[in-house]
Amino acid sequence: MKQQPGPQPLSAEQWQAVVNNDTTYDGQFFYAVKTTGIFCRPSCKSRPPKQDHIGLFHTPEQAIAAGYRPCKRCKPTGRRLPDEEWISLVTDYIDNHYAEPLTLDTLAAICHGTPYHLHRTFKKVKGKTPVEYIQDIRIEKAKAELTRTSKPVSEVGHGVGLSNTPYFITLFKKKTGHTPASYRHDTATRS
């Protein structure tokens, strides 16, 4: 299937409609967030993204044809995004931004939902909470860094989004049964 052209730039007036959640612009255009792959109505109550991260489509069909998915919060197509698709967007975002500060509130705002609904739906779909998922990703990335490099443990922790070294060591041991240093040593001796 051929993907359609991407979104067009917003005018200053359209940007103000997005920032002000102006319902009078609903139906006139839809804005797409390039960093999340989601599109919304101008009146969407989600936190507005950076202006250079969005563009506009005239219809929901154009946005869908270009590979964007409808927002879970404002439902620009009039239908709700299936839970599995929504959580797939969230996990894709986490997988690509695990080293950044990620909270439930931040993820909910970025992925256009409420923290409570995100937590509940994520756990239902993935069998673990968003925080557990983030921790698991960070520890897996840390394990790879520990075996691949000789960076100090504190630098590895910082690189995966866990800049508090004692917390990183504690979490690593809880998840793997080893401290980062002993994990590195054990994997080096097995090679």
Side-chain angles (χ1 to χ4, degrees):
M1 182 170 125
K2 184 180 169 210
Q3 193 162 328
Q4 298 300 312
Q8 303 168 2
L10 267 71
S11 68
E13 178 184 348
Q14 291 165 328
W15 171 245
Q16 285 307 308
V18 170
V19 170
N20 297 322
N21 311 114
D22 193 334
T23 58
T24 61
Y25 286 83
D26 282 357
Q28 292 183 31
F29 73 93
F30 299 84
Y31 73 90
V33 184
K34 298 169 190 167
T35 53
T36 62
I38 296 173
F39 73 97
C40 300
R41 301 171 191 264
S43 64
C44 188
K45 297 293 185 193
S46 294
R47 179 176 52 171
K50 293 179 180 173
Q51 188 174 0
D52 58 340
H53 289 182
I54 66 172
L56 92 108
F57 289 101
H58 295 287
T59 68
E61 293 76 23
Q62 289 173 334
I64 291 168
Y68 289 86
R69 296 181 183 163
C71 171
K72 189 92 167 167
R73 182 175 278 180
C74 71
K75 302 175 191 77
T77 61
R79 295 187 309 272
R80 200 169 80 89
L81 183 66
D83 289 345
E84 289 76 16
E85 281 186 51
W86 185 48
I87 296 308
S88 176
L89 286 174
V90 177
T91 56
D92 287 349
Y93 187 85
I94 293 168
D95 293 348
N96 291 310
H97 297 89
Y98 64 87
E100 298 171 14
L102 295 175
T103 65
L104 191 58
D105 287 341
T106 304
L107 288 172
I110 288 167
C111 298
H112 299 224
T114 65
Y116 172 77
H117 185 63
L118 173 60
H119 186 271
R120 191 171 45 100
T121 306
F122 197 101
K123 183 150 179 140
K124 181 180 83 174
V125 171
K126 289 290 196 187
K128 59 176 83 171
T129 68
V131 169
E132 291 168 331
Y133 184 83
I134 293 166
Q135 289 175 342
D136 290 347
I137 291 290
R138 287 174 170 167
I139 296 304
E140 286 306 309
K141 298 292 184 181
K143 284 164 58 176
E145 278 292 293
L146 289 165
T147 57
R148 198 171 70 238
T149 71
S150 59
K151 291 179 184 174
V153 168
S154 61
E155 195 175 317
V156 171
H158 187 75
V160 298
L162 296 165
S163 55
N164 179 326
T165 304
Y167 176 71
F168 168 57
I169 293 168
T170 301
L171 181 63
F172 194 94
K173 187 168 185 176
K174 176 182 172 192
K175 296 280 186 180
T176 67
H178 301 275
T179 65
S182 70
Y183 179 84
R184 174 182 272 156
H185 179 266
D186 291 352
T187 54
T189 57
R190 280 183 283 188
S191 301

